[in-house]
Amino acid sequence: MEHKLTAPYETWRAQLVDSRHGTARILLRVRRIAVIGIKPEHVGGPAFDVPARLQRAGYTFVPVTVYYPLITSILGEPVHRSLATIDGPIDMVVLFRRSADVPGHLDEILAARPSVVWMQSGIRHDAVAETLARAGLQVVQDRCAKVELEHMPTL
């Protein structure tokens, strides 16, 4: 699929969020978060702990698993296999995928039209980030949402 780039060169870079102040503004604004690559509790790790922390902080989240076909719910929420099966709008998509796997989610993210895409710590894909930013989405790369939440500055 060819992606339509809408933001001019001068403005798309403003959609790339790389400051604690910028992430705090995002976390104050978003309410419903889809987590692609979430893992079940018995597997644990950041791909479970971070969504659990976001849920405890009051965010509504939608788990989107990549593996674990027998899992039907995580943290009490029904599991989806794709953003396309989620009813209603998503404010933010959080990615727990290897950087090399991020382009495989580009089409479904663009179709879902969240206002923010957040790539967790260690996850970065500059070409995808540019495409998303040019489409008008804010993009955070290589930052942990849990850490940013716990260290939010006063705005």
Side-chain angles (χ1 to χ4, degrees):
M1 172 181 197
E2 186 174 323
H3 302 287
K4 184 178 180 185
L5 305 178
T6 58
Y9 181 79
E10 303 80 37
T11 61
W12 71 265
R13 288 183 185 278
Q15 296 294 90
L16 303 176
V17 179
D18 62 359
S19 71
R20 185 149 282 160
H21 232 71
T23 59
R25 279 192 213 98
I26 287 170
L27 291 170
L28 287 170
R29 185 182 80 241
V30 301
R31 290 282 130 249
R32 191 165 187 234
I33 302 170
V35 182
I36 297 177
I38 189 171
K39 293 185 176 163
E41 185 174 14
H42 73 273
V43 175
F48 176 81
D49 295 339
V50 172
R53 174 65 179 97
L54 292 170
Q55 186 183 48
R56 285 193 311 274
Y59 295 94
T60 301
F61 92 100
V62 181
V64 181
T65 61
V66 176
Y67 305 110
Y68 313 104
L70 300 179
I71 300 291
T72 59
S73 71
I74 296 176
L75 293 166
E77 298 295 333
V79 166
H80 292 263
R81 306 295 171 201
S82 164
L83 295 176
T85 64
I86 299 171
D87 291 329
I90 295 295
D91 299 320
M92 181 166 78
V93 170
V94 174
L95 288 167
F96 280 98
R97 301 287 287 140
R98 290 178 296 172
S99 297
D101 295 332
V102 169
H105 297 283
L106 182 59
D107 290 338
E108 71 174 321
I109 291 170
L110 288 170
R113 297 296 302 162
S115 60
V116 180
V117 175
W118 190 303
M119 298 180 215
Q120 275 296 122
S121 295
I123 304 167
R124 172 174 214 92
H125 199 288
D126 292 334
V128 169
E130 180 178 344
T131 299
L132 294 167
R134 286 182 180 272
L137 285 67
Q138 286 189 298
V139 181
V140 177
Q141 296 191 90
D142 193 19
R143 284 183 174 268
C144 178
K146 178 181 171 183
V147 170
E148 296 298 313
L149 180 65
E150 292 172 355
H151 295 98
M152 282 179 47
T154 303
L155 299 178

